[in-house]
């Protein structure tokens, strides 16, 4: 860490490593180790550098530049797995996963005696003599910063990433996972993600539910860049798989309709291993707030998830056939970020906005060109200089990087430095007649040092080094040099909202995936090479030949994709005999006797309680802490843990070994909770017999309802393995009811959580939340208007229809509905799931003339049950902590409307 002292006294937090006198006209002067800092500070500012714990608040973070760290890690983890499961490696166990490792210098510099020695050996000077170059803009700043991250990157990739890559390769596993790639171009955590991908058998990224926004195509440009980074390295190294940790963090409201556009976009950009993130083992306590949603049987839509999983699986098979061959290489200015990075604690000689603004501008400009090339459907990869230094060569007039071959190289707008190897490789490419299209001036630096060589290279090849003054001009020149493989029939680029991915199968065949993950329909006339086209249906597993129009050596066809839509084809040089489309005259079929029934008991969430804690942490009120009025369960939980001597619930952090679960508390520690709910007197006789209570870990408490003890000993599971439900109809009274739970002594798993009331009832908005009332008959329309505010499970809409004659098939369309998924049943047998536009299911089935039954089970939204009920922000414990202080009016809650708003439309043919 660094600090600037402008007047004495000088106090240094941590071990003083170096100090500099900053006065005078020259660069800061390093003070001797035994110098008087107070005396120096009296004459001008003094810059001090103190060595601090690399982990900071995360004491388990280790220095991954040290070879011993990785060797120890492999010994205590991977080697132990190998000792037990080596026979399964490469088969049932295929991957070794890492999640966001880094070098740990987000605010300062990662330093160690080993790193300083390696730095001096590599660059022939002492980093500590010039560390002031991070804090002040001076002539040496670009090269010192570049040299530092160059050494850090070399040590990190060789000692950590490559070491794990080599271990996995020797044991039949593939190293995968992802880094801090979404921080690009900030090198503080990972100096060069693409250089690290080089040492993964399966390079990977994450793209979570909260990151992807299908309503803002341009706003996703950074994630498009990170996808291209990983997929490009895979193309260059020949890696068959590219990985993504997807979906997580989107909130409990995320379900099938949100999964598909995200996974489609990934698969159409070279990512072909979708890791659904995440599946909770339990939602008890803090875990329910940890990056929801959960892809597991906790979710009301879980039984429908197979539709999404099978679609992803079939699409994955298709886009891993053959190979992707892109002809344009866009240089990635990652190393420019090395020159520009000023860690937060070094932002002394400049403003924080200026220091971060340079990296932001680099990100903005590179994301803009990546987005522009993707919108224009240019087939391109990104070129990382370190990967190119190892795998780059010029052969037959093209620039090769590993297994990839590029006919055109693009210099982005803000690339300010090259490696010597990049300079030589580009020079050889130009000498061989290759074309470089430059959006910006030649780099003014080589290895972070001012250099005229790139400019001289450009001047030496005026015909091959072509300046482009705009993205439009660049794309026009690219299309002239490498004609697009897929266009509209009139030769124009495909619509920018359409994503196209192509894999070459050989013999003139190719896989074409078209994806529209956005919220506007796309319609176009597509022209691509070949004479035959096979359409593959990833929802059913079926296929059929598609009629196309012959246009020279190409074929044309109409493509219409709705929001979240996709189309998958295999093109062939040879024409196919396209069978005649069966003549279908859909006949509308009327539904009658429509009935509506809830498939599970209704639910009321009790998320406010009164809390009293007899703790071991004393304050001005003594050891007894009490909330006389009901407070939100997150506040009650915090109060309990604070009384036990913790700043907050420790389960929101990381447990070291068993330090939390094995903790014991004194016998006098006592937690008392009181939850209240109201049963309307007029509804009591109708609803009381059905009432149940569901509670997390009831075995930790003595539980009483209205003063009578409850025994959860044989209670059944509900929602989660750690939640039990118990019938309480005999103990409920009209009006106010009080559920009391007492734990003595306090236990590490005593996390205060909501309690759930279940039963055949309706809910009515009240001044304190909701009252239980007699249920009304259900009908079409929003569940919120029918007393089912928290209900996330299924509601069945059942009707009858009569066929006048035998039918070969049936279509069911939901013109207006809201929810997570809708299961369709015909005559009691499952027919399929509706979750995506156009919200229609076509069923090929032999249906006899006569009466039939149609049922549609609409599944609700899990956020209504699990929250957060008062905030719609990025889901984490902080969103649950945003709530009214005391139990509010029921209108303060935020719910997603669910239900079938209009009757299904049925057609037969």
């Amino acid at each position: 860490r660094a600090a600037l002292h402008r007047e004495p006294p000088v106090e240094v937090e941590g071990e003083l490593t170096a100090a500099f006198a900053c006065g005078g006209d020259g660069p800061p002067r390093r003070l001797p180790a035994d110098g008087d800092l107070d005396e120096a500070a009296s004459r001008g500012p003094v810059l001090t550098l103190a060595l601090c714990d690399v982990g900071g608040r995360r004491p388990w973070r280790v220095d991954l530049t040290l070879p011993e760290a990785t060797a120890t890690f492999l010994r205590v983890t991977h080697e132990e797995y190998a000792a037990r499961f080596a026979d399964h490696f490469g088969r049932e166990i295929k991957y070794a996963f890492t999640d966001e490792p880094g070098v740990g210098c987000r605010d300062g510099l990662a330093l160690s005696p080993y790193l300083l020695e390696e730095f001096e050996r590599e660059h022939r000077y002492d980093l500590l003599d010039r560390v002031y170059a991070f804090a002040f803009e001076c002539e040496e700043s670009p090269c010192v910063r570049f040299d530092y991250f160059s050494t850090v990157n070399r040590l990190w990739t060789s000692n950590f990433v490559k070491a794990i890559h080599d271990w996995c390769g020797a044991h039949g596993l593939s190293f995968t996972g992802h880094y801090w790639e979404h921080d690009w171009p900030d090198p503080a955590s990972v100096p060069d993600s693409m250089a690290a991908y080089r040492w993964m058998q399966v390079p990977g990224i994450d793209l979570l539910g909260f990151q992807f926004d299908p309503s803002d195509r341009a706003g996703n440009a950074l994630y498009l860049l990170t996808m291209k980074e990983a997929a490009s390295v895979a193309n260059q190294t020949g890696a068959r798989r590219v990985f993504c940790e997807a979906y997580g963090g989107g909130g409990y409201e995320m379900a099938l309709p949100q999964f598909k556009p995200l996974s489609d976009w990934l698969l159409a950009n070279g990512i072909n291993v979708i890791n659904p993130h995440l599946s909770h083992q339990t939602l008890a306590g803090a875990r329910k707030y940890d990056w929801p949603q959960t892809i597991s049987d906790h979710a009301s839509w879980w039984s429908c998830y197979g539709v999404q999983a099978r679609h992803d699986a079939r699409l994955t098979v298709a886009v891993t056939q053959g190979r992707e061959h892109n002809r344009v290489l866009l240089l990635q200015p990652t190393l420019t970020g090395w020159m520009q990075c000023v860690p937060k604690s070094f932002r002394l000689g400049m403003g924080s906005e200026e220091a971060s603004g340079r990296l932001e501008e680099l990100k903005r400009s590179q994301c803009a060109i990546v987005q522009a090339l993707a919108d224009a459907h240019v087939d391109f990869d990104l070129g990382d200089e370190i990967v190119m230094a190892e795998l780059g060569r010029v052969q037959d007039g093209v620039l090769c990087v590993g297994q990839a071959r590029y006919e055109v190289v693009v210099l982005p707008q803000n690339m300010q430095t090259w490696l010597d190897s990049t300079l030589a490789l580009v020079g050889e490419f130009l000498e061989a007649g290759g074309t470089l299209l430059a959006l910006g001036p030649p780099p003014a630096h080589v290895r972070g040092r001012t250099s005229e060589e790139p400019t001289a290279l450009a001047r030496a090849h005026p015909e091959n080094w072509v300046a482009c003054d705009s993205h439009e001009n660049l794309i026009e020149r690219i299309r002239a040099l490498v004609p697009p493989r897929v266009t509209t029939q009139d030769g124009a680029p495909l619509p920018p909202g359409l994503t196209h991915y192509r894999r070459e199968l050989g013999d003139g065949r190719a896989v074409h995936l078209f994806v529209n993950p956005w919220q506007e329909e796309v319609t176009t006339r597509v022209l691509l090479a070949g004479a035959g086209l096979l359409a593959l249906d990833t929802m059913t597993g079926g296929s059929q030949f598609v009629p196309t129009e012959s246009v020279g050596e190409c074929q044309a066809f109409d493509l219409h994709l709705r929001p979240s839509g996709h189309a998958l084809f295999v093109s062939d040089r040879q024409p196919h005999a396209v069978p005649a489309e069966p003549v279908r005259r859909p006949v509308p079929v009327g539904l009658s006797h429509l009935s509506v029934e809830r498939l599970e008991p209704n639910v009321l969430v009790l998320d406010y309680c009164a809390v009293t804690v007899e703790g071991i942490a004393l304050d001005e009120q003594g050891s007894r802490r009490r909330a006389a009025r009901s407070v939100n369960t997150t506040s009650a939980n915090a109060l309990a843990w604070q009384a036990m001597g913790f700043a907050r619930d420790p389960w929101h952090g990381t447990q070291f070994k068993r330090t939390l679960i094995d903790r014991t508390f004194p016998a006098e520690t006592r937690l008392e909770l009181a939850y209240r709910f109201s049963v309307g007197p007029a509804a009591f006789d109708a609803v009381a017999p059905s009432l149940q209570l569901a509670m997390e870990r009831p075995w930790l408490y003595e539980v009483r309802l209205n003063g009578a003890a409850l025994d959860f000993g044989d209670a059944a599971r509900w929602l989660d393995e750690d939640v039990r439900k118990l019938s309480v109809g005999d103990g409920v009274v009209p009006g106010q009811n009080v559920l009391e739970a007492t734990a003595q002594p306090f236990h590490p798993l005593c996390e205060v959580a909501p309690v759930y009331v279940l039963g055949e009832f309706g809910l009515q908005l009240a001044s304190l939340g909701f009252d239980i009332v007699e249920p009304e008959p259900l009908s079409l329309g929003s569940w919120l208007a029918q007393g089912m505010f928290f209900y996330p499970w299924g509601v069945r809409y059942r009707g009858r229809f009569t066929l006048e004659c035998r039918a070969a098939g049936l279509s069911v369309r939901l013109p207006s509905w809201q929810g997570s998924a809708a299961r369709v049943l015909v005559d009691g047998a499952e027919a399929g799931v509706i979750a995506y536009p156009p919200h229609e299911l076509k069923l090929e089935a032999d249906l006899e003339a006569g009466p039939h039954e149609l049922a549609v089970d609409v599944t609700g939204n899990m956020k209504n049950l699990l929250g957060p009920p008062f905030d719609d922000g990025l889901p984490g414990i902080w969103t649950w902590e945003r709530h009214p202080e005391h139990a509010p009016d029921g209108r303060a809650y935020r719910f997603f409307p669910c239900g079938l708003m209009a009757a299904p439309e049925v057609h037969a043919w």
Side-chain angles (χ1 to χ4, degrees), residues 22 43 49 71 85 220 233 325 335 447 469 531 556 611 648 711 735 778 841 897:
C22 302
R43 298 197 303 270
L49 177 70
F85 308 114
N220 290 278
V233 173
H325 172 213
L335 309 194
R447 291 187 299 109
D469 58 9
V611 57
R648 58 178 298 171
D711 182 4
L778 300 179
L841 177 67

Side-chain angles (χ1 to χ4, degrees), residues 99-116:
D99 191 53
E100 297 180 346
V103 295
C105 54
R106 279 189 170 275
D107 296 330
L109 299 177
L111 289 178
S112 67
Y114 169 72
L115 189 147
L116 291 171

Side-chain angles (χ1 to χ4, degrees), residues 385-448:
E385 293 189 74
I386 295 175
V387 175
M388 292 166 60
E390 179 194 358
L391 303 177
R393 67 192 185 282
V394 175
Q395 182 179 327
D396 301 328
V398 299
L399 193 152
C400 303
V401 182
Q403 299 184 18
R405 296 167 57 86
Y406 305 104
E407 301 172 41
V408 177
V409 174
V410 176
L411 175 69
Q413 181 177 357
N414 284 325
M415 196 166 199
Q416 298 176 14
T417 189
W418 273 352
L419 293 176
D420 293 309
S421 55
T422 307
L423 180 68
L425 188 62
V426 171
E428 188 178 352
F429 176 62
L430 295 173
E431 287 287 346
T435 300
L436 182 145
L437 302 177
L439 267 175
H445 300 78
V446 173
R447 291 187 299 109

Side-chain angles (χ1 to χ4, degrees), residues 86 162 170 199 221 254 325 364 476 495 519 623 836 858:
K162 187 176 184 300
W199 299 111
M254 194 174 186
H325 172 213
R364 186 207 61 77
E476 181 181 353
Q519 295 183 338
S623 63
Y836 322 109
V858 173

Side-chain angles (χ1 to χ4, degrees), residues 442-675:
H445 300 78
V446 173
R447 291 187 299 109
R449 279 106 176 130
T450 302
S451 174
E452 293 291 332
E453 291 186 81
T455 299
L457 182 63
R459 290 172 180 166
H461 299 277
E463 296 182 358
N464 303 83
W465 186 299
V466 181
C468 302
D469 58 9
S470 66
H471 291 163
E472 293 75 17
N473 180 227
L474 170 70
I475 291 165
E476 181 181 353
R477 290 182 179 276
I478 290 176
R479 289 171 64 84
L481 292 167
V482 283
R485 293 160 168 158
V486 180
T487 66
T488 62
Q489 187 165 359
D490 60 6
L494 297 174
L498 185 65
T499 300
H500 170 247
Y501 183 66
R502 177 179 178 274
R503 302 278 296 193
E504 297 176 357
L505 301 178
D507 300 326
R509 296 182 304 130
V511 172
H512 295 271
L513 172 61
F514 297 90
V515 164
N516 176 27
W518 318 113
Q519 295 183 338
E520 301 294 332
E521 292 192 5
V522 175
T523 300
T524 188
R525 180 82 171 165
V526 176
L527 183 71
L528 52 80
L533 201 63
L534 177 68
L536 304 176
D537 189 333
T538 61
M539 292 298 173
T540 66
S543 63
Q544 63 180 14
F545 292 113
V546 177
T548 62
E549 175 191 356
S550 178
V551 181
E553 296 184 354
C554 297
Q555 55 187 328
F557 63 97
D558 290 324
L559 180 67
H560 174 219
L561 295 183
R562 291 180 172 86
S564 302
H566 77 286
L568 179 65
F569 303 102
V570 178
S571 65
D572 201 336
R573 287 181 178 175
Q574 304 302 320
H576 300 297
V578 180
E581 284 283 336
V583 177
R584 289 180 173 177
R585 295 185 176 86
V587 177
V589 177
L591 279 177
S592 62
H593 300 88
L594 189 67
S595 64
V596 185
E597 59 180 314
R598 195 171 48 237
L599 298 180
E600 297 287 342
N602 201 3
V603 57
L604 167 63
V605 178
L606 306 180
D607 54 353
Y608 279 80
C609 66
V611 57
T612 304
V613 188
E614 293 284 355
I616 60 175
L618 299 180
D619 59 12
E620 65 276 6
Q621 298 177 349
S623 63
R624 185 176 178 86
R625 298 187 179 198
R626 180 178 181 183
R629 293 177 60 190
S630 290
V631 296
N632 191 268
T633 50
T634 58
S635 295
N637 188 51
L639 188 65
W641 283 102
Q642 289 163 11
M644 297 302 135
F646 293 80
R648 58 178 298 171
D649 185 343
W651 291 111
H652 289 299
T654 300
Q655 178 176 219
F656 181 71
K657 294 187 176 180
R658 295 175 60 88
T659 54
L660 295 180
I661 194 64
D662 287 343
R663 180 145 185 170
T664 60
F665 294 87
E668 64 270 20
T669 55
R670 179 182 178 92
L671 172 66
E672 300 174 21
L673 306 173
Y675 300 81

Side-chain angles (χ1 to χ4, degrees), residues 5 10 28 179 186 207 269 360 362 386 399 517 588 608 623 666 713 749 831:
H5 307 275
V10 175
Y179 309 116
D186 188 339
L207 185 56
N269 280 287
E360 285 299 316
L362 180 60
I386 295 175
L399 193 152
Y608 279 80
S623 63
L749 294 179

Side-chain angles (χ1 to χ4, degrees), residues 60-314:
W60 59 87
R61 187 182 292 278
V62 297
D63 186 349
L64 298 183
T65 65
L66 300 176
E68 298 90 340
T70 303
T72 302
F73 172 62
L74 289 171
R75 185 178 71 252
V76 301
T77 55
H78 294 50
E79 292 288 357
E80 292 296 326
Y81 283 109
R84 293 162 172 78
F85 308 114
D87 291 345
H88 300 275
F89 282 8
R91 299 196 304 273
E92 296 87 356
I93 301 173
K94 296 185 177 182
Y95 303 106
F97 175 84
T98 187
D99 191 53
E100 297 180 346
V103 295
C105 54
R106 279 189 170 275
D107 296 330
L109 299 177
L111 289 178
S112 67
Y114 169 72
L115 189 147
L116 291 171
E117 291 171 6
E118 286 291 313
F119 182 95
E120 186 166 3
R121 184 176 65 81
E122 184 175 1
H123 303 293
R124 299 292 187 264
Y125 66 91
D126 185 347
L127 174 62
L128 294 183
D129 284 343
R130 303 185 191 178
V131 75
Y132 58 81
F134 280 93
F136 301 97
E137 285 303 312
C138 57
E139 184 178 350
E140 295 175 300
S141 292
C143 61
V144 172
R145 295 167 185 161
F146 186 96
D147 290 348
Y148 169 77
F149 285 110
S150 175
T151 298
V152 170
N153 187 70
R154 176 177 62 83
L155 297 179
W156 137 265
T157 52
S158 61
N159 293 339
F160 177 73
V161 183
K162 187 176 184 300
I164 298 181
H165 166 277
D166 292 350
W167 189 96
C168 290
H171 290 79
L173 296 177
S174 293
F175 181 34
T176 191
H178 80 105
Y179 309 116
W180 290 90
E181 69 281 350
H182 31 64
D183 281 352
W184 192 94
D186 188 339
S189 292
V190 175
D192 188 337
S193 291
M194 291 185 72
Y197 293 147
R198 161 67 181 96
W199 299 111
M200 276 185 158
Q201 284 88 355
V202 179
I205 64 168
D206 78 353
L207 185 56
L208 303 181
F210 72 88
Q211 296 169 311
F212 176 68
D213 183 356
S215 68
D216 183 8
R217 184 166 50 85
N220 290 278
L222 174 62
Y223 309 119
L224 177 61
L225 180 146
T226 62
M227 288 191 289
K228 293 299 291 186
E229 281 195 318
S232 298
V233 173
N235 289 336
Q236 292 155 4
T237 62
R240 184 166 177 261
R241 298 286 189 181
V242 187
F243 173 99
C244 182
E245 175 188 336
Y247 304 157
Y252 287 115
E253 64 268 33
M254 194 174 186
L256 274 64
Q258 292 77 39
F259 293 157
K260 183 178 186 294
L262 174 50
S263 64
D264 284 359
W265 196 48
L266 288 164
L267 288 158
N269 280 287
I271 309 298
N272 54 37
V273 178
I274 305 295
N275 172 29
H277 178 279
L278 46 77
S279 299
H280 285 76
Q281 294 185 11
T282 177
L283 295 181
R287 293 133 209 94
K288 70 175 65 63
Y289 311 120
D290 184 13
W291 289 114
Q293 77 302 318
T294 174
I295 303 175
S296 65
D297 63 352
H298 296 101
S300 56
W301 42 261
W302 174 242
S303 62
C304 299
Y305 180 67
V307 172
Q308 178 68 39
R310 287 188 290 273
H311 161 72
D312 286 346
R314 290 168 177 145

